[in-house]
Amino acid sequence: QQQVRQSPQSLTVWEGETAILNCSYEDSTFDYFPWYWQFPRESPALLIAIRPVSNKKEDGRFTIFFNKREKKLSLHITDSQPGDSATYFCAASASSGSWQLIFGSGTQLTVMP
Amino acid sequence: GGIITQTPKFLIGQEGQKLTLKCQQNFNHDTMYWYRQDSGKGLRLIYYSITENDLQKGDLSEGYDASREKKSSFSLTVTSAQKNEMAVFLCASSIVFQNTLYFGAGTRLSVL
């Protein structure tokens, strides 16, 4: 049972374009949604996170859009750069219950120069 | 700043062998985690420890044991290595739950 789903599995965009990475979840008790990125041969690191009190979180070129009703969120990367090429993981957890941080299977983003 | 040190970096085992992976953090974080990363499957939680004397099973705990020896260290044991198993085991820590996870560099396991 996959509680956090990501699409597409891989995405290629040209430098300067906007990359859109999608994430959906099943558990309505999830109330914290971080995105981690992982560069080749490195460990994951936190990129940006959102809590459902807001439906949008922005940090520079990275923006999370959150739709609580549809249990969906997306990460938009504007003006994509080759240095953004990485695997992006959406994750979710609930402040009540088991406290586990559940990761999606990731989207591998390639930004072509 | 701080660092999470995982040892060993590479681990080659035999089928059926008991293998132990170690993790040390100097962030003074309360919560520590063990995740397994397989290609194309994201990160799956094996065990976590909210505080020093706590141990919780994740969704992938079968076949593993864990031990939180002290606040700064958290070890994982593969109780019986499976033939052709290949994965990266990532240790992480955070101040409290739902805070930023900081990951170690990982231990790459190969079972012959």
Side-chain angles (χ1 to χ4, degrees):
Chain A
Q1 180 192 1
Q2 211 171 354
Q3 296 189 54
V4 177
R5 290 191 174 87
Q6 290 186 247
S7 64
Q9 191 172 2
S10 63
L11 175 65
T12 300
V13 299
W14 292 102
E15 183 174 357
E17 291 185 334
T18 296
I20 300 176
L21 290 66
N22 301 302
C23 179
S24 64
Y25 62 97
E26 296 179 4
D27 191 337
S28 57
T29 66
F30 285 155
D31 56 7
Y32 175 62
F33 302 91
W35 285 81
Y36 282 75
W37 56 351
Q38 184 176 29
F39 296 96
R41 292 172 297 283
E42 293 189 15
S43 295
L46 179 68
L47 173 61
I48 187 173
I50 192 169
R51 298 181 192 274
V53 292
S54 166
N55 59 13
K56 181 181 176 182
K57 177 73 176 292
E58 195 169 350
D59 185 357
R61 296 184 294 107
F62 300 89
T63 302
I64 299 174
F65 292 93
F66 180 72
N67 186 323
K68 187 175 182 178
R69 184 179 61 83
E70 295 188 9
K71 296 182 188 173
K72 291 181 178 178
L73 55 161
S74 60
L75 175 67
H76 291 224
I77 307 173
T78 58
D79 188 25
S80 297
Q81 302 297 308
D84 297 333
S85 297
T87 299
Y88 291 76
F89 293 101
C90 173
S93 67
S95 56
S96 61
S98 70
W99 289 19
Q100 296 190 39
L101 185 63
I102 309 296
F103 283 81
S105 57
T107 293
Q108 188 171 356
L109 173 67
T110 302
V111 182
M112 303 293 288
Chain B
I3 191 168
I4 295 179
T5 302
Q6 290 189 237
T7 55
K9 285 186 170 53
F10 299 94
L11 183 56
I12 298 175
Q14 301 287 332
E15 184 182 11
Q17 193 176 2
K18 186 175 180 179
L19 304 167
T20 298
L21 292 67
K22 293 189 179 295
C23 177
Q24 295 267 353
Q25 53 98 357
N26 63 0
F27 286 101
N28 199 35
H29 286 167
D30 288 310
T31 306
M32 296 186 73
Y33 312 78
W34 276 106
Y35 282 91
R36 172 177 167 139
Q37 184 170 27
D38 295 274
S39 177
K41 289 189 178 180
L43 286 75
R44 291 182 288 173
L45 185 61
I46 306 172
Y47 269 96
Y48 62 109
S49 170
I50 298 171
T51 59
E52 187 172 341
N53 295 311
D54 175 76
L55 195 61
Q56 306 279 344
K57 291 183 178 181
D59 288 340
L60 202 65
S61 62
E62 188 170 339
Y64 302 94
D65 287 327
S67 174
R68 184 83 182 266
E69 297 86 3
K70 50 187 177 181
K71 186 174 184 179
S72 62
S73 66
F74 193 32
S75 61
L76 180 73
T77 298
V78 180
T79 55
S80 179
Q82 301 298 305
K83 187 175 176 63
N84 297 323
E85 182 175 7
M86 287 182 63
V88 177
F89 292 84
L90 291 166
C91 176
S93 71
S94 65
I95 296 175
V96 292
F97 171 67
Q98 285 196 346
N99 208 309
T100 303
L101 263 63
Y102 293 88
F103 285 88
T107 292
R108 295 182 182 275
L109 171 67
S110 296
V111 181
L112 304 177

